[in-house]
Amino acid sequence: MVDQAEAPAPVAPDGGIVPMNMIQALNSALHVKMAEDPNVLSFGEDTGYFGGVFRVTDQLQQKHGLTRSFDTPISECGLVAAAIGMGAYGLRPVVEIQFADYIYPAYDQIVSEAAKMRYRSGGQFTAPIVVRSPYGGGIFGGQTHSQSPESLFTHIAGLKVVIPSNPHDAKGLLTAAIEDDDPVIFLEPKRLYNGPFDGWHKNPVSPWKAQASAQVPTGKYTVPLGKAAVVREGSDVTILCYGTMVWVSLAGAEHAGVDAEVIDLRTLVPLDIETIEASVKKTGRCVIVHEAPKTSGYGAELSALVQERCFYHLEAPIGRVAGWDTPYPHAFEWEYFPGPERVATALKAVMSGGAR
Amino acid sequence: MTRNTQPLSLRVPEPTGRPGDAPDFSHLKLDVAGAVDRPPVEARPVQMLDLAFRLIRVLDDEGQAVGPWNPRLDAGTLKKGLKAMILTRAFDDRMHRAHRQGKTSFYMKCTGEEAIAVAQGMILSREDMGFPTYRQQGLLIARGYPLVDMMNQIYSNAADPIKGRQLPIMYSAKDYGFFTISGNLGTQVPQAVGWAMASAYKGDDKIAITWIGDGATAEGDFHNALTFASVYRAPVILNVVNNQWAISSFMGIAGGLETTFASKAIGYGLPALRVDGNDFLAVWAATQWAEERARSNQGATVIELFTYRGAPHSTSDDPSRYRPGDEHDKWPLGDPVARLKQHLIALGEWSDEAQAEAEAEAVAQVRAAGREAEAIGTLGQSRPSVKMMFEEVFATEDWRLTEQRREVGV
Ligand SMILES: Cc1ncc(C[n+]2csc(CCOP(=O)(O)OP(=O)(O)O)c2C)c(N)n1
């Protein structure tokens, strides 16, 4: 995948560019930021000595000390609330929720507190926290290790929502999220941690290092929040996607034989509406792909925005490919997970003038 | 300026040993068997505060049952318990291996904790409701739930009783008094209280029992449960299984260094017992005490079951990366199977040969069930109809699901 929206990755004075998988890239972002800024802390369940069940916080405690990277009680509400208090003091805590499915106990603190702190205090208090969490399916995790809760956060005023799709972006976006003065929900597609995944579950997973987007500077750089990436240029139809679905969409376009323009949103809030608008006006068609259930998913918002801004350019109804409106089912993972075949079907439907 | 002239510092608790260190349990204060008094079940919580900090034990080092908590079980019950524990261990071993062989996506063992679910499953009846977490497979096994059905669930195969929808080991067996397991920690505990409140509201005679890990006691749900249990005097037994580790976090991270988990009950006005969880008789006696309280309308009891998670947290975990490798072998409360075996031998009711025979029998029973389940199919080889994916989201399917089901072609 070539990241065309991004200039060549800036090289930090201290280092070169090395291939990293997404775990290593996220880990590198944390190491670099913690070395640079003593106000940055990392904590969560199992994130300290052990470095997190997915190893994203590996060696942070060993390198930066026990009080800067530590394990917390299994209390998502408690740890997010503590982060909010620390953020109000002036620290920049980066907390991990072990799986996004466990963010719900913390939902009140995120939604009622972090999101509204700046607004309700007339700007006196802020909550500059990052809540990191692996999310999404494709790992046989069953209902409580597979959900995609992004639209629950995009609906809340005051929260930023970031979802990277490759190692280079992951590091740059996480760095930008830590430096951001607002609360950021940073969702990591765990199906992409170790390699890109095109949705053909029987295909062997290729390693990240074969991808251009796995060339990650060891030093500091940011990928700005609110800037989408055109990951494939095309003229027939615009695909709006993020996370794992970027790779699935690329595979789906190829499978359909359609010249699709694939846009990796990278951040859902703030949203890069210019890039979306320009692309849909160019192609005249739009298909939205996400893993979360269809009803009230982020695709509904995208579809409304495209309709509001590009209606007279549209040559077909907007298509949506999404997870079904059921809990995530263990044995039916591959029927549930929106794969390239379903993307291709939607693309063909849109190309022939009707989404359904 | 504040008035403080002294810099503050942040404390983060650490365990006594990490990989490469020698296990160190010298900080544990363990009462000897028989040392702790047994209050009458009518005792008020304030009259028995010390029990939240002591350790109720019945089996001594020689395998003799001693002291006021000795439940004086007959040999038949003891043998039944031992056999169920042996079977639970054999089942765990086979299913752990099945994961290694790619037959399922996930498994979790309860090695070292078998006495808890087995004893408690035997004491309560199937009409009472158990609200388990994921390490109470012994409850189903003690109650004779078919092993093959457990395996069918683990394999998500065509005969999976919960239709391929749940992560392996997240059983649901209403007829066996086994509530559906959630992957979200702690949620079952306040639900158990609500179930118990319902039984009281209806004037029924059923009680509830629930389990939570030491780590998960940090969740708000645990504290919500204690509040409701206390306020409404719910007939429920609230077990905290303190197995020392919550994945890589030692129990100090959950607050276990400052006080005991049993003592969390005190602030809520609930009676608390702290029990040797590797002692089948102590678990039995404490549960019976709590059961009597609940059945006689005196409300809830919190029981901390002090034990050690011998196996990895799950098949995704490697404990040698965060704790001393031989910590389990050095656990001062021994192994629950070995201790009950020793007791039965001391009673003249059992022998090494009988033990070997029971173990072989358990392995054969598990193997036979395994053959049966695998003939139906393992994960990916067999599964319920894809239609099941769309059913039972609601009592009746709405148009969205009907459309989506048709899109899949089922
Ligand atoms: C709400 C929630 N947060 C986090 C998790 C992830 N998780 C699963 S098991 C576990 C550790 C639980 O430890 P403990 O309660 O001590 O029980 P044990 O596994 O030791 O039996 C964690 C953090 C989860 N399942 N649910």
Side-chain angles (χ1 to χ4, degrees), chain B residues 232-263:
Chain B
Y232 298 104
R233 204 176 280 172
V236 57
I237 303 173
L238 304 157
N239 295 292
V240 177
V241 182
N242 177 1
N243 65 11
Q244 311 302 318
W245 289 93
I247 312 188
S248 74
S249 304
F250 82 121
M251 52 84 191
I253 292 292
L257 286 183
E258 305 306 319
T259 186
T260 66
F261 292 96
S263 73

PDB file of all heavy atoms in Angstrom, chain B residues 232-263:
ATOM      1  N   TYR B 232     -30.812  -5.381  50.380  1.00  0.00           N
ATOM      2  CA  TYR B 232     -32.038  -6.193  50.237  1.00  0.00           C
ATOM      3  C   TYR B 232     -31.922  -7.570  50.885  1.00  0.00           C
ATOM      4  O   TYR B 232     -32.794  -8.417  50.707  1.00  0.00           O
ATOM      5  CB  TYR B 232     -32.407  -6.322  48.755  1.00  0.00           C
ATOM      6  CG  TYR B 232     -32.698  -4.968  48.137  1.00  0.00           C
ATOM      7  CD1 TYR B 232     -31.776  -4.346  47.297  1.00  0.00           C
ATOM      8  CD2 TYR B 232     -33.872  -4.295  48.442  1.00  0.00           C
ATOM      9  CE1 TYR B 232     -32.030  -3.091  46.760  1.00  0.00           C
ATOM     10  CE2 TYR B 232     -34.136  -3.044  47.921  1.00  0.00           C
ATOM     11  CZ  TYR B 232     -33.214  -2.449  47.078  1.00  0.00           C
ATOM     12  OH  TYR B 232     -33.460  -1.210  46.563  1.00  0.00           O
ATOM     13  N   ARG B 233     -30.819  -7.780  51.606  1.00  0.00           N
ATOM     14  CA  ARG B 233     -30.569  -9.065  52.263  1.00  0.00           C
ATOM     15  C   ARG B 233     -30.854 -10.224  51.295  1.00  0.00           C
ATOM     16  O   ARG B 233     -31.665 -11.126  51.577  1.00  0.00           O
ATOM     17  CB  ARG B 233     -31.418  -9.185  53.523  1.00  0.00           C
ATOM     18  CG  ARG B 233     -30.806 -10.146  54.512  1.00  0.00           C
ATOM     19  CD  ARG B 233     -31.564 -10.203  55.800  1.00  0.00           C
ATOM     20  NE  ARG B 233     -31.254  -9.096  56.683  1.00  0.00           N
ATOM     21  CZ  ARG B 233     -31.906  -8.845  57.825  1.00  0.00           C
ATOM     22  NH1 ARG B 233     -32.904  -9.597  58.197  1.00  0.00           N
ATOM     23  NH2 ARG B 233     -31.559  -7.828  58.576  1.00  0.00           N
ATOM     24  N   ALA B 234     -30.197 -10.192  50.172  1.00  0.00           N
ATOM     25  CA  ALA B 234     -30.443 -11.181  49.112  1.00  0.00           C
ATOM     26  C   ALA B 234     -29.870 -12.544  49.493  1.00  0.00           C
ATOM     27  O   ALA B 234     -28.760 -12.623  50.021  1.00  0.00           O
ATOM     28  CB  ALA B 234     -29.814 -10.701  47.815  1.00  0.00           C
ATOM     29  N   PRO B 235     -30.616 -13.606  49.231  1.00  0.00           N
ATOM     30  CA  PRO B 235     -30.110 -14.953  49.540  1.00  0.00           C
ATOM     31  C   PRO B 235     -29.104 -15.428  48.487  1.00  0.00           C
ATOM     32  O   PRO B 235     -29.443 -16.150  47.549  1.00  0.00           O
ATOM     33  CB  PRO B 235     -31.379 -15.807  49.532  1.00  0.00           C
ATOM     34  CG  PRO B 235     -32.316 -15.098  48.598  1.00  0.00           C
ATOM     35  CD  PRO B 235     -31.994 -13.635  48.707  1.00  0.00           C
ATOM     36  N   VAL B 236     -27.866 -15.005  48.653  1.00  0.00           N
ATOM     37  CA  VAL B 236     -26.854 -15.293  47.639  1.00  0.00           C
ATOM     38  C   VAL B 236     -25.510 -15.545  48.321  1.00  0.00           C
ATOM     39  O   VAL B 236     -25.228 -14.969  49.373  1.00  0.00           O
ATOM     40  CB  VAL B 236     -26.760 -14.111  46.626  1.00  0.00           C
ATOM     41  CG1 VAL B 236     -26.444 -12.790  47.320  1.00  0.00           C
ATOM     42  CG2 VAL B 236     -25.753 -14.387  45.521  1.00  0.00           C
ATOM     43  N   ILE B 237     -24.713 -16.432  47.718  1.00  0.00           N
ATOM     44  CA  ILE B 237     -23.346 -16.670  48.189  1.00  0.00           C
ATOM     45  C   ILE B 237     -22.406 -16.030  47.185  1.00  0.00           C
ATOM     46  O   ILE B 237     -22.446 -16.351  45.996  1.00  0.00           O
ATOM     47  CB  ILE B 237     -23.050 -18.180  48.314  1.00  0.00           C
ATOM     48  CG1 ILE B 237     -24.065 -18.839  49.259  1.00  0.00           C
ATOM     49  CG2 ILE B 237     -21.622 -18.413  48.796  1.00  0.00           C
ATOM     50  CD1 ILE B 237     -23.956 -20.361  49.323  1.00  0.00           C
ATOM     51  N   LEU B 238     -21.582 -15.092  47.661  1.00  0.00           N
ATOM     52  CA  LEU B 238     -20.704 -14.321  46.783  1.00  0.00           C
ATOM     53  C   LEU B 238     -19.270 -14.794  46.978  1.00  0.00           C
ATOM     54  O   LEU B 238     -18.640 -14.472  47.989  1.00  0.00           O
ATOM     55  CB  LEU B 238     -20.840 -12.833  47.112  1.00  0.00           C
ATOM     56  CG  LEU B 238     -22.269 -12.265  47.027  1.00  0.00           C
ATOM     57  CD1 LEU B 238     -22.414 -11.004  47.879  1.00  0.00           C
ATOM     58  CD2 LEU B 238     -22.641 -11.975  45.580  1.00  0.00           C
ATOM     59  N   ASN B 239     -18.771 -15.586  46.039  1.00  0.00           N
ATOM     60  CA  ASN B 239     -17.415 -16.122  46.165  1.00  0.00           C
ATOM     61  C   ASN B 239     -16.403 -15.266  45.424  1.00  0.00           C
ATOM     62  O   ASN B 239     -16.627 -14.902  44.268  1.00  0.00           O
ATOM     63  CB  ASN B 239     -17.341 -17.523  45.549  1.00  0.00           C
ATOM     64  CG  ASN B 239     -18.183 -18.529  46.292  1.00  0.00           C
ATOM     65  OD1 ASN B 239     -17.878 -18.865  47.434  1.00  0.00           O
ATOM     66  ND2 ASN B 239     -19.244 -19.002  45.664  1.00  0.00           N
ATOM     67  N   VAL B 240     -15.300 -14.989  46.098  1.00  0.00           N
ATOM     68  CA  VAL B 240     -14.152 -14.386  45.410  1.00  0.00           C
ATOM     69  C   VAL B 240     -13.083 -15.473  45.334  1.00  0.00           C
ATOM     70  O   VAL B 240     -12.609 -15.955  46.365  1.00  0.00           O
ATOM     71  CB  VAL B 240     -13.583 -13.178  46.185  1.00  0.00           C
ATOM     72  CG1 VAL B 240     -12.345 -12.633  45.475  1.00  0.00           C
ATOM     73  CG2 VAL B 240     -14.647 -12.102  46.348  1.00  0.00           C
ATOM     74  N   VAL B 241     -12.749 -15.884  44.136  1.00  0.00           N
ATOM     75  CA  VAL B 241     -11.712 -16.899  43.977  1.00  0.00           C
ATOM     76  C   VAL B 241     -10.373 -16.176  43.851  1.00  0.00           C
ATOM     77  O   VAL B 241     -10.041 -15.626  42.799  1.00  0.00           O
ATOM     78  CB  VAL B 241     -11.970 -17.779  42.732  1.00  0.00           C
ATOM     79  CG1 VAL B 241     -10.892 -18.849  42.622  1.00  0.00           C
ATOM     80  CG2 VAL B 241     -13.359 -18.415  42.807  1.00  0.00           C
ATOM     81  N   ASN B 242      -9.655 -16.125  44.956  1.00  0.00           N
ATOM     82  CA  ASN B 242      -8.346 -15.454  44.945  1.00  0.00           C
ATOM     83  C   ASN B 242      -7.291 -16.473  44.556  1.00  0.00           C
ATOM     84  O   ASN B 242      -6.779 -17.208  45.390  1.00  0.00           O
ATOM     85  CB  ASN B 242      -8.048 -14.853  46.313  1.00  0.00           C
ATOM     86  CG  ASN B 242      -6.667 -14.207  46.352  1.00  0.00           C
ATOM     87  OD1 ASN B 242      -5.953 -14.193  45.351  1.00  0.00           O
ATOM     88  ND2 ASN B 242      -6.295 -13.678  47.511  1.00  0.00           N
ATOM     89  N   ASN B 243      -6.977 -16.509  43.267  1.00  0.00           N
ATOM     90  CA  ASN B 243      -5.954 -17.452  42.790  1.00  0.00           C
ATOM     91  C   ASN B 243      -4.625 -16.751  42.556  1.00  0.00           C
ATOM     92  O   ASN B 243      -3.787 -17.217  41.810  1.00  0.00           O
ATOM     93  CB  ASN B 243      -6.451 -18.199  41.548  1.00  0.00           C
ATOM     94  CG  ASN B 243      -6.660 -17.280  40.357  1.00  0.00           C
ATOM     95  OD1 ASN B 243      -6.251 -16.115  40.371  1.00  0.00           O
ATOM     96  ND2 ASN B 243      -7.290 -17.778  39.316  1.00  0.00           N
ATOM     97  N   GLN B 244      -4.437 -15.627  43.192  1.00  0.00           N
ATOM     98  CA  GLN B 244      -3.173 -14.874  43.267  1.00  0.00           C
ATOM     99  C   GLN B 244      -2.827 -14.082  42.004  1.00  0.00           C
ATOM    100  O   GLN B 244      -2.075 -13.124  42.065  1.00  0.00           O
ATOM    101  CB  GLN B 244      -1.970 -15.792  43.617  1.00  0.00           C
ATOM    102  CG  GLN B 244      -2.207 -16.707  44.801  1.00  0.00           C
ATOM    103  CD  GLN B 244      -2.551 -15.936  46.068  1.00  0.00           C
ATOM    104  OE1 GLN B 244      -1.952 -14.910  46.367  1.00  0.00           O
ATOM    105  NE2 GLN B 244      -3.538 -16.415  46.807  1.00  0.00           N
ATOM    106  N   TRP B 245      -3.330 -14.482  40.860  1.00  0.00           N
ATOM    107  CA  TRP B 245      -2.919 -13.823  39.620  1.00  0.00           C
ATOM    108  C   TRP B 245      -4.130 -13.478  38.760  1.00  0.00           C
ATOM    109  O   TRP B 245      -5.063 -14.270  38.647  1.00  0.00           O
ATOM    110  CB  TRP B 245      -1.962 -14.727  38.806  1.00  0.00           C
ATOM    111  CG  TRP B 245      -0.630 -14.840  39.460  1.00  0.00           C
ATOM    112  CD1 TRP B 245      -0.231 -15.800  40.343  1.00  0.00           C
ATOM    113  CD2 TRP B 245       0.470 -13.920  39.334  1.00  0.00           C
ATOM    114  NE1 TRP B 245       1.053 -15.547  40.778  1.00  0.00           N
ATOM    115  CE2 TRP B 245       1.509 -14.405  40.156  1.00  0.00           C
ATOM    116  CE3 TRP B 245       0.686 -12.753  38.592  1.00  0.00           C
ATOM    117  CZ2 TRP B 245       2.748 -13.749  40.285  1.00  0.00           C
ATOM    118  CZ3 TRP B 245       1.921 -12.104  38.713  1.00  0.00           C
ATOM    119  CH2 TRP B 245       2.929 -12.607  39.553  1.00  0.00           C
ATOM    120  N   ALA B 246      -4.085 -12.300  38.167  1.00  0.00           N
ATOM    121  CA  ALA B 246      -5.063 -11.893  37.163  1.00  0.00           C
ATOM    122  C   ALA B 246      -4.260 -11.649  35.887  1.00  0.00           C
ATOM    123  O   ALA B 246      -3.590 -10.625  35.775  1.00  0.00           O
ATOM    124  CB  ALA B 246      -5.775 -10.621  37.610  1.00  0.00           C
ATOM    125  N   ILE B 247      -4.273 -12.609  35.006  1.00  0.00           N
ATOM    126  CA  ILE B 247      -3.299 -12.680  33.904  1.00  0.00           C
ATOM    127  C   ILE B 247      -1.914 -12.381  34.497  1.00  0.00           C
ATOM    128  O   ILE B 247      -1.484 -13.146  35.377  1.00  0.00           O
ATOM    129  CB  ILE B 247      -3.676 -11.794  32.699  1.00  0.00           C
ATOM    130  CG1 ILE B 247      -5.167 -12.010  32.307  1.00  0.00           C
ATOM    131  CG2 ILE B 247      -2.798 -12.190  31.480  1.00  0.00           C
ATOM    132  CD1 ILE B 247      -5.583 -11.323  31.010  1.00  0.00           C
ATOM    133  N   SER B 248      -1.260 -11.288  34.119  1.00  0.00           N
ATOM    134  CA  SER B 248       0.104 -11.064  34.620  1.00  0.00           C
ATOM    135  C   SER B 248       0.154 -10.220  35.889  1.00  0.00           C
ATOM    136  O   SER B 248       1.232  -9.957  36.402  1.00  0.00           O
ATOM    137  CB  SER B 248       0.938 -10.379  33.536  1.00  0.00           C
ATOM    138  OG  SER B 248       0.562  -9.014  33.401  1.00  0.00           O
ATOM    139  N   SER B 249      -1.013  -9.775  36.355  1.00  0.00           N
ATOM    140  CA  SER B 249      -1.022  -8.873  37.513  1.00  0.00           C
ATOM    141  C   SER B 249      -1.260  -9.649  38.803  1.00  0.00           C
ATOM    142  O   SER B 249      -2.266 -10.345  38.930  1.00  0.00           O
ATOM    143  CB  SER B 249      -2.119  -7.823  37.338  1.00  0.00           C
ATOM    144  OG  SER B 249      -1.937  -7.132  36.108  1.00  0.00           O
ATOM    145  N   PHE B 250      -0.339  -9.497  39.763  1.00  0.00           N
ATOM    146  CA  PHE B 250      -0.506 -10.225  41.029  1.00  0.00           C
ATOM    147  C   PHE B 250      -1.625  -9.579  41.840  1.00  0.00           C
ATOM    148  O   PHE B 250      -2.061  -8.457  41.545  1.00  0.00           O
ATOM    149  CB  PHE B 250       0.818 -10.279  41.796  1.00  0.00           C
ATOM    150  CG  PHE B 250       1.147  -9.058  42.601  1.00  0.00           C
ATOM    151  CD1 PHE B 250       1.337  -9.157  43.980  1.00  0.00           C
ATOM    152  CD2 PHE B 250       1.287  -7.819  42.008  1.00  0.00           C
ATOM    153  CE1 PHE B 250       1.653  -8.038  44.737  1.00  0.00           C
ATOM    154  CE2 PHE B 250       1.600  -6.698  42.763  1.00  0.00           C
ATOM    155  CZ  PHE B 250       1.777  -6.807  44.128  1.00  0.00           C
ATOM    156  N   MET B 251      -2.086 -10.314  42.881  1.00  0.00           N
ATOM    157  CA  MET B 251      -3.300  -9.850  43.571  1.00  0.00           C
ATOM    158  C   MET B 251      -3.121  -8.493  44.265  1.00  0.00           C
ATOM    159  O   MET B 251      -4.089  -7.822  44.577  1.00  0.00           O
ATOM    160  CB  MET B 251      -3.848 -10.928  44.508  1.00  0.00           C
ATOM    161  CG  MET B 251      -2.895 -11.511  45.480  1.00  0.00           C
ATOM    162  SD  MET B 251      -2.762 -10.478  46.937  1.00  0.00           S
ATOM    163  CE  MET B 251      -1.361 -11.209  47.734  1.00  0.00           C
ATOM    164  N   GLY B 252      -1.874  -8.063  44.465  1.00  0.00           N
ATOM    165  CA  GLY B 252      -1.633  -6.741  45.054  1.00  0.00           C
ATOM    166  C   GLY B 252      -2.170  -5.612  44.187  1.00  0.00           C
ATOM    167  O   GLY B 252      -2.555  -4.554  44.678  1.00  0.00           O
ATOM    168  N   ILE B 253      -2.212  -5.837  42.884  1.00  0.00           N
ATOM    169  CA  ILE B 253      -2.729  -4.816  41.962  1.00  0.00           C
ATOM    170  C   ILE B 253      -4.242  -4.663  42.130  1.00  0.00           C
ATOM    171  O   ILE B 253      -4.798  -3.612  41.819  1.00  0.00           O
ATOM    172  CB  ILE B 253      -2.335  -5.162  40.508  1.00  0.00           C
ATOM    173  CG1 ILE B 253      -0.817  -5.024  40.318  1.00  0.00           C
ATOM    174  CG2 ILE B 253      -3.074  -4.314  39.488  1.00  0.00           C
ATOM    175  CD1 ILE B 253      -0.280  -3.610  40.392  1.00  0.00           C
ATOM    176  N   ALA B 254      -4.883  -5.690  42.649  1.00  0.00           N
ATOM    177  CA  ALA B 254      -6.326  -5.580  42.887  1.00  0.00           C
ATOM    178  C   ALA B 254      -6.616  -5.129  44.320  1.00  0.00           C
ATOM    179  O   ALA B 254      -7.765  -5.126  44.753  1.00  0.00           O
ATOM    180  CB  ALA B 254      -7.010  -6.913  42.607  1.00  0.00           C
ATOM    181  N   GLY B 255      -5.586  -4.789  45.057  1.00  0.00           N
ATOM    182  CA  GLY B 255      -5.809  -4.329  46.429  1.00  0.00           C
ATOM    183  C   GLY B 255      -5.583  -5.402  47.476  1.00  0.00           C
ATOM    184  O   GLY B 255      -5.895  -5.201  48.646  1.00  0.00           O
ATOM    185  N   GLY B 256      -5.041  -6.530  47.095  1.00  0.00           N
ATOM    186  CA  GLY B 256      -4.894  -7.663  48.008  1.00  0.00           C
ATOM    187  C   GLY B 256      -3.729  -7.553  48.978  1.00  0.00           C
ATOM    188  O   GLY B 256      -3.549  -8.421  49.829  1.00  0.00           O
ATOM    189  N   LEU B 257      -2.926  -6.492  48.871  1.00  0.00           N
ATOM    190  CA  LEU B 257      -1.843  -6.328  49.839  1.00  0.00           C
ATOM    191  C   LEU B 257      -2.304  -5.534  51.044  1.00  0.00           C
ATOM    192  O   LEU B 257      -1.800  -5.708  52.146  1.00  0.00           O
ATOM    193  CB  LEU B 257      -0.658  -5.579  49.196  1.00  0.00           C
ATOM    194  CG  LEU B 257       0.211  -6.332  48.213  1.00  0.00           C
ATOM    195  CD1 LEU B 257       1.354  -5.455  47.742  1.00  0.00           C
ATOM    196  CD2 LEU B 257       0.745  -7.626  48.809  1.00  0.00           C
ATOM    197  N   GLU B 258      -3.240  -4.641  50.828  1.00  0.00           N
ATOM    198  CA  GLU B 258      -3.675  -3.740  51.901  1.00  0.00           C
ATOM    199  C   GLU B 258      -4.651  -4.427  52.846  1.00  0.00           C
ATOM    200  O   GLU B 258      -4.740  -4.076  54.013  1.00  0.00           O
ATOM    201  CB  GLU B 258      -4.353  -2.504  51.302  1.00  0.00           C
ATOM    202  CG  GLU B 258      -3.499  -1.758  50.285  1.00  0.00           C
ATOM    203  CD  GLU B 258      -2.138  -1.376  50.847  1.00  0.00           C
ATOM    204  OE1 GLU B 258      -2.070  -0.964  52.014  1.00  0.00           O
ATOM    205  OE2 GLU B 258      -1.137  -1.522  50.108  1.00  0.00           O
ATOM    206  N   THR B 259      -5.408  -5.339  52.288  1.00  0.00           N
ATOM    207  CA  THR B 259      -6.408  -6.033  53.093  1.00  0.00           C
ATOM    208  C   THR B 259      -6.737  -7.324  52.368  1.00  0.00           C
ATOM    209  O   THR B 259      -6.187  -7.606  51.318  1.00  0.00           O
ATOM    210  CB  THR B 259      -7.647  -5.140  53.288  1.00  0.00           C
ATOM    211  OG1 THR B 259      -8.551  -5.781  54.198  1.00  0.00           O
ATOM    212  CG2 THR B 259      -8.380  -4.872  51.982  1.00  0.00           C
ATOM    213  N   THR B 260      -7.644  -8.128  52.919  1.00  0.00           N
ATOM    214  CA  THR B 260      -8.024  -9.359  52.242  1.00  0.00           C
ATOM    215  C   THR B 260      -9.245  -9.083  51.360  1.00  0.00           C
ATOM    216  O   THR B 260      -9.944  -8.082  51.553  1.00  0.00           O
ATOM    217  CB  THR B 260      -8.398 -10.453  53.254  1.00  0.00           C
ATOM    218  OG1 THR B 260      -9.581 -10.038  53.935  1.00  0.00           O
ATOM    219  CG2 THR B 260      -7.275 -10.690  54.250  1.00  0.00           C
ATOM    220  N   PHE B 261      -9.484  -9.973  50.422  1.00  0.00           N
ATOM    221  CA  PHE B 261     -10.674  -9.793  49.575  1.00  0.00           C
ATOM    222  C   PHE B 261     -11.947 -10.053  50.385  1.00  0.00           C
ATOM    223  O   PHE B 261     -12.969  -9.419  50.160  1.00  0.00           O
ATOM    224  CB  PHE B 261     -10.585 -10.671  48.333  1.00  0.00           C
ATOM    225  CG  PHE B 261      -9.495 -10.209  47.411  1.00  0.00           C
ATOM    226  CD1 PHE B 261      -8.234 -10.775  47.449  1.00  0.00           C
ATOM    227  CD2 PHE B 261      -9.716  -9.157  46.530  1.00  0.00           C
ATOM    228  CE1 PHE B 261      -7.206 -10.309  46.633  1.00  0.00           C
ATOM    229  CE2 PHE B 261      -8.703  -8.676  45.712  1.00  0.00           C
ATOM    230  CZ  PHE B 261      -7.444  -9.260  45.758  1.00  0.00           C
ATOM    231  N   ALA B 262     -11.855 -10.975  51.337  1.00  0.00           N
ATOM    232  CA  ALA B 262     -13.034 -11.241  52.181  1.00  0.00           C
ATOM    233  C   ALA B 262     -13.454  -9.975  52.924  1.00  0.00           C
ATOM    234  O   ALA B 262     -14.640  -9.664  53.050  1.00  0.00           O
ATOM    235  CB  ALA B 262     -12.721 -12.354  53.178  1.00  0.00           C
ATOM    236  N   SER B 263     -12.456  -9.220  53.362  1.00  0.00           N
ATOM    237  CA  SER B 263     -12.779  -8.062  54.210  1.00  0.00           C
ATOM    238  C   SER B 263     -13.505  -6.965  53.447  1.00  0.00           C
ATOM    239  O   SER B 263     -14.050  -6.045  54.057  1.00  0.00           O
ATOM    240  CB  SER B 263     -11.508  -7.493  54.826  1.00  0.00           C
ATOM    241  OG  SER B 263     -10.766  -6.817  53.838  1.00  0.00           O
TER     242      SER B 263
END
